[in-house]
Amino acid sequence: VQPPEKPLQAEEWNKLREDFQAPEIFEEVMLNSMIRCNSPIDVAKSLLTHLAKRNGDIAYSVLVKYLTLCVHQGQVSEIHDVYDIMKARFKILESGAYNLLIRGLSNSDQWRRALTILEEVKKMMVPSRSSYESCIKAASRHREMKLAFELYDEMLAKDVVPTLDVLQSFFDFSRGMKGAELQRELFGILLYLRENQIYPHKTFMRSIKLWFESIPGGNWRGHLTNIKDSGQCPVCKHQLEDSNLTEEEYSNLSERIIRDVIHGTDTFRKTSPQEFEAFQTFVENRLPFDIVIDGLNVSHIKSRKMQCENLFDAVNCLAKENARLLVLGRKHMLMNSSNWKREIMKEMQNKADFFFAENISEDDAFLLYATLRSGKHCKFVTRDFLRDHKACLTDNLTRHLFRKWQRGHQIALYSSAEGRIFSFVFSQQPAFRYDCVVQTTGDTWHIPYKDVFEEKYSYQVPRKWLCIQQK
């Protein structure tokens, strides 16, 4: 439907409606196309006036579409009017309408009204991320940083995960502003990046650098650099944190994972307690291993090759220097099939220990158990990120240790172009003796960053760093 270019009279709207193949949805289709074409607001308004006269009222879905058009065009007084109509007619609105109202008002000089609506939403539901972020940006734009941070803290307390965009906006809007409290809050965001192993992209990193350099009387200077393999920063000569856990951290972490993740509720959903006991006995009799491999996961690394060949290449590659390998397999691998050739499986079993679980077992618990029981030196191979298990670890410290241990111990296998050989890379590459997360000593900050934004969590750590030091 092509929307008209100017407001129409009732009979003109009726004529268009009659000519439309599905008159009962005419208004909604027409408004959708007005949104797409960004039609003048008075054209849309004439359709609503006609509807109200014809039906005595306007359907909720139609009001929401009209509201969308008003928000796109920043028509603040119209947004107010629609809100008043909706509030009078419907007791509560759904979250999409609240998001629109908050977004529309927070971009206007009446942004405080958006905060009032946010308070109303809180009485009924947890506000959405976009509602919080619209209000945070509005407060920041008007230099009300205390209010912006109160909303941010509230958002985190409700487990609403902020976007990097809103985190960056805090640094942009705080540029050149004074205040110890404000500084503490912004340092808090950097520590949030550290705790959650988030790597800012280049534009976000630049905002952080500019903010530091704009602190009145702060004397901070930022430089982009690459950290040496030894872990020393070439700019400030500072030694970065070691990627290894201390003995105490390691034993705390392995106790917690074995208790909460492996013996916790989620493990036995896909594996029987008997099978897991058999696995524990198997492992205890053969400890320690150097590398534990998620066999099924690795067998899919190259789609054009037989699964057993993929696994065979990985085992050959990892078995160098007499490393003791444990491969976690599945019972179906023992059946001679097009993907699992018996003679190749036999040859692999000369190079590594194999444990074959039932075909429906959950590998991660087996993988973590065997790796942690083998000791601090033991690495593990999987292309999974093990995110679910991080969720089972309730406190921040243990989560931080788990991620740090994962960064130093997960081997990521990549298939190389030549075909047979794996160019395999430790997630930390063995050269990384330092930990790849945001870190500070008080008068220095080191922030790893990526060139582009990545939505997905990645175990490929950045090689580029921002070093900021206070002179």
Side-chain angles (χ1 to χ4, degrees), residues 85-97:
I85 294 168
M86 290 177 112
K87 235 171 85 166
R89 287 202 27 222
F90 310 102
K91 234 189 175 66
I92 57 168
L93 316 180
E94 38 73 64
S95 64

Side-chain angles (χ1 to χ4, degrees), residues 152 162-171 189 192-193 198 204:
Y152 166 71
T163 58
L164 290 195
D165 179 49
V166 84
L167 297 181
Q168 181 182 336
S169 75
F170 278 115
F171 290 91
I189 291 181
Y192 173 83
L193 298 180
I198 295 166
F204 185 4

